[in-house]
Amino acid sequence: RLVALAIAIGGWALVAHRRALPRGRELLALVAFGVLGIAVLQWTATEAIARMDAGVMLTFVYSASITTALFSRLVWKERQPPAVWVAMVVTLVGLALAVGIGGDALGSTPRAGIAFAVATSMLFAYYALHGARLLARHPMPVVLGVGATAATLVWGTTAAPLWAFPFGEVAGELSLGGRIEATTAPGILMLGGSMAVGTILPYVLYLVGMGRVGPTLGVITGTMEPIVAVILSWIWLDQRLEPLQIVGCVLVIGAVVLVQVARATPDGEGTA
């Protein structure tokens, strides 16, 4: 996936923005963004999800909105509308309900899993904050193209060597699973779709959106990701939604709408 991202966006940057490609310290800043904000973030997230419940992990990760808001307020001296602080609490509560966190979920989680989840949250905040500053100086294809290329070189030679990729697993037909389990598609086609829809498009849209609304609102709006996953699991995988999960989905969606409305009002415009 990272290889596809690096090739697609890196190629875009070379063709459309070759004169804007940075050098020196700016290039190092973009490389650091890719290594820490993409490659290392993917590693800590993978280690966290291997050790703990997915719902707990996601709640930890999206608590990054608090880190970004505090950093923006205390370090960058940027004022946030009161609705943003309210939305942070609402989204975290809603997310916890939507992903079905039980009362003993955290108590049974290994400490290593919590440590990796906290690290992922901090790296996600770094990705949003540093990414926002880089986008103010460089076009999005340059930021993501250089960052993804650096991440690919690190990830593809350490955690997931390209030469060890199990190409045989996607050589034949694969089931789509869930309610359409009887339907199959070529594995290579599914892999390509996963790269395009699951990696390239999300990274591009997220950075474009964050460049418009800022890092804090970007992270808060990003909490829609697990909510969409819960809803798709209900539709596609026929998983049952409990009443509290439905309440959680409504809370997150409502909080995202709240911050967007607050941003559009005269008092909140341009404060994120």
Side-chain angles (χ1 to χ4, degrees), residues 43-55 57-58 113 116-117 120:
W43 172 66
T44 57
T46 301
E47 294 289 347
I49 204 67
R51 292 171 168 81
M52 64 196 307
D53 179 81
M57 184 264 191
L58 287 171
F116 277 115
T120 303

Side-chain angles (χ1 to χ4, degrees), residues 215-239:
T216 300
L217 295 190
V219 175
I220 292 176
T221 306
T223 56
M224 288 293 296
E225 176 189 356
I227 300 305
V228 172
V230 169
I231 295 174
L232 286 179
S233 296
W234 170 54
I235 296 173
W236 185 354
L237 303 179
D238 200 20
Q239 293 184 356

Side-chain angles (χ1 to χ4, degrees), residues 59 62 86-99 219-228 230-231 244-260:
T59 304
Y62 282 100
V86 175
M88 282 184 220
V89 178
V90 174
T91 53
L92 290 177
V93 172
L95 180 61
L97 293 175
V99 297
V219 175
I220 292 176
T221 306
T223 56
M224 288 293 296
E225 176 189 356
I227 300 305
V228 172
V230 169
I231 295 174
L244 285 179
Q245 288 182 286
I246 297 174
V247 171
C249 290
V250 172
L251 286 175
V252 172
I253 294 171
V256 171
V257 172
L258 174 65
V259 295
Q260 298 303 332

Side-chain angles (χ1 to χ4, degrees), residues 35-102:
V35 173
L36 294 176
I38 299 179
V40 180
L41 171 60
Q42 293 294 326
W43 172 66
T44 57
T46 301
E47 294 289 347
I49 204 67
R51 292 171 168 81
M52 64 196 307
D53 179 81
V56 179
M57 184 264 191
L58 287 171
T59 304
F60 267 106
V61 169
Y62 282 100
S63 67
S65 61
I66 298 175
T67 305
T68 57
L70 289 174
F71 188 93
S72 298
R73 184 69 184 92
L74 298 176
V75 179
W76 290 349
K77 307 300 180 183
E78 294 180 353
R79 186 178 62 86
Q80 299 289 348
V84 170
W85 301 100
V86 175
M88 282 184 220
V89 178
V90 174
T91 53
L92 290 177
V93 172
L95 180 61
L97 293 175
V99 297
I101 294 181

Side-chain angles (χ1 to χ4, degrees), residues 6 30-35 39 145-155:
L30 290 169
V31 169
F33 172 74
V35 173
V146 176
T149 300
T152 299
L153 291 175
V154 171
W155 187 263

